[in-house]
Amino acid sequence: MTVGVVGLGLIGGSIAKAYKEAGETVFGFDIDRTIADFALLSGVLDGILDDSNIKKCDLIHIATYPEAAIDYMEKNAAKFAKKTIVIDDCGTKRKVCEAGFALAAQHGYTYVGAHPMAGTKFSGFKYSRASMFNGATMIIVPPVFDDINLYDRLKTILAPLQLKGLVFTTAEDHDQMIAFTSQLAHVVSNAYVKSPSAQRQKGYSAGSFRDLTRVAWLNEQMWTELFLENKDNLISEISTIIDNLSQYRDAMVNDDAKTLKELLRDGRIAKENCG
């Protein structure tokens, strides 16, 4: 299999390394040519992805920010071979999938939206690793939901990532859920660590502080784009947590132990129910 990878940051670099480790031919492209050259010299790439080899690709992963993914597809859609499956690995799906499906229909190749549920607090090629996706799930937004042949092809071409499984959904459902499971967590963590107390926490903190602040260290450029693109869903989740926190605060202001105990119990039960 010949694979193209666009964007050689943490996710794209890990994708490239996973396919290369599996013995596949890998071409890669990054807007920063020095990164692509380093990947080539280090043996991760067999060549730079360009017009000379793009049609050879059976699979192209686009692991960039959503706007950059759309821009790349618009500029290169006419160059993709009909056999090629083009997958974007962006963190939001509605805007990129709308563009991706339209371009694929126009030019005759197959496009699939995807989002691998893996990563670290670090970014960049130097932190990428072939094992990044081992045991992780990948969310898939397919063009249709009744194409068994496409499902089988996806299982085959994604096998080198050693995923635990694929979760099929719509772009709308993806963005709604990711606002809660990922984006809200990053907002809360980033806001929580801004307390003046955070600068005096050493010696007073253990696992709770570490867990809640882990994703406060983030790539602000990437998350700004993702948050704004999905702001309708994320604002709704932020409003919900503000309302919930207000109930805890009000119970304490009023010395209402009964209500506070009920709120804490309800939260415990909610956690038990969601796993």
Side-chain angles (χ1 to χ4, degrees), residues 1-273:
M1 177 166 53
T2 299
V3 181
V5 181
V6 180
L8 297 170
L10 177 69
I11 298 301
S14 296
I15 290 171
K17 289 178 179 179
Y19 279 99
K20 186 61 180 177
E21 193 171 278
E24 310 296 351
T25 298
V26 181
F27 298 112
F29 169 83
D30 195 276
I31 193 170
D32 185 342
R33 181 58 188 259
T34 61
I35 294 174
D37 286 341
F38 178 79
L40 182 63
L41 289 171
S42 62
V44 175
L45 301 181
D46 295 285
I48 302 300
L49 180 65
D50 57 25
D51 290 354
S52 71
N53 51 42
I54 196 168
K55 283 190 178 296
K56 298 178 182 178
C57 293
D58 303 292
L59 168 66
I60 295 178
H61 277 277
I62 305 177
T64 65
Y65 301 169
E67 289 291 346
I70 293 170
D71 182 65
Y72 183 85
M73 287 190 289
E74 287 177 342
K75 290 178 178 177
N76 293 280
K79 304 172 187 176
F80 299 147
K82 298 291 191 294
K83 68 174 183 178
T84 304
I85 293 182
V86 177
I87 295 178
D88 90 88
D89 300 282
C90 301
T92 55
K93 296 268 69 87
R94 283 176 293 177
K95 191 172 182 179
V96 68
C97 283
E98 180 181 9
F101 290 138
L103 288 165
Q106 180 182 351
H107 295 281
Y109 60 88
T110 300
Y111 162 80
V112 174
H115 186 185
M117 294 289 96
T120 72
K121 67 181 180 181
F122 302 107
S123 60
F125 182 81
K126 69 177 180 178
Y127 295 107
S128 63
R129 63 181 191 272
S131 62
M132 177 69 70
F133 311 104
N134 291 15
T137 58
M138 179 176 278
I139 302 174
I140 298 291
V141 180
V144 294
F145 285 87
D146 57 355
D147 189 338
I148 300 301
N149 290 330
L150 176 59
Y151 175 71
D152 289 339
R153 288 181 69 193
L154 287 172
K155 287 198 298 182
T156 298
I157 65 175
L158 294 173
L161 301 182
Q162 299 187 49
L163 298 162
K164 177 174 67 176
L166 305 179
V167 177
F168 288 80
T169 188
T170 64
E172 291 73 22
D173 283 347
H174 169 276
D175 285 2
Q176 183 177 29
M177 285 304 303
I178 219 70
F180 173 70
T181 61
S182 177
Q183 294 183 340
L184 179 65
H186 283 78
V187 168
V188 170
S189 181
N190 197 263
Y192 170 77
V193 81
K194 290 177 181 176
S195 167
S197 299
Q199 304 307 314
R200 302 189 298 110
Q201 57 80 26
K202 291 184 179 179
Y204 291 84
S205 59
S208 298
F209 177 82
R210 182 179 62 250
D211 292 345
L212 190 50
T213 60
R214 182 179 67 82
V215 293
W217 189 355
L218 46 69
N219 180 334
E220 59 269 20
Q221 181 178 344
M222 178 184 75
W223 286 104
T224 295
E225 182 174 332
L226 295 176
F227 289 167
L228 290 177
E229 187 169 317
N230 199 31
K231 68 178 183 179
D232 54 342
N233 289 314
L234 183 53
I235 288 170
S236 177
E237 293 293 348
I238 291 173
S239 297
T240 297
I241 198 169
I242 289 173
D243 291 344
N244 288 337
L245 287 171
S246 296
Q247 294 179 51
Y248 292 84
R249 180 198 59 201
D250 293 348
M252 286 181 273
V253 167
N254 296 319
D255 289 321
D256 188 347
K258 178 177 180 296
T259 297
L260 182 58
K261 183 178 179 180
E262 290 173 349
L263 290 168
L264 294 169
R265 180 204 62 203
D266 291 347
R268 172 179 57 79
I269 292 172
K271 171 57 179 173
E272 291 173 355
N273 290 336

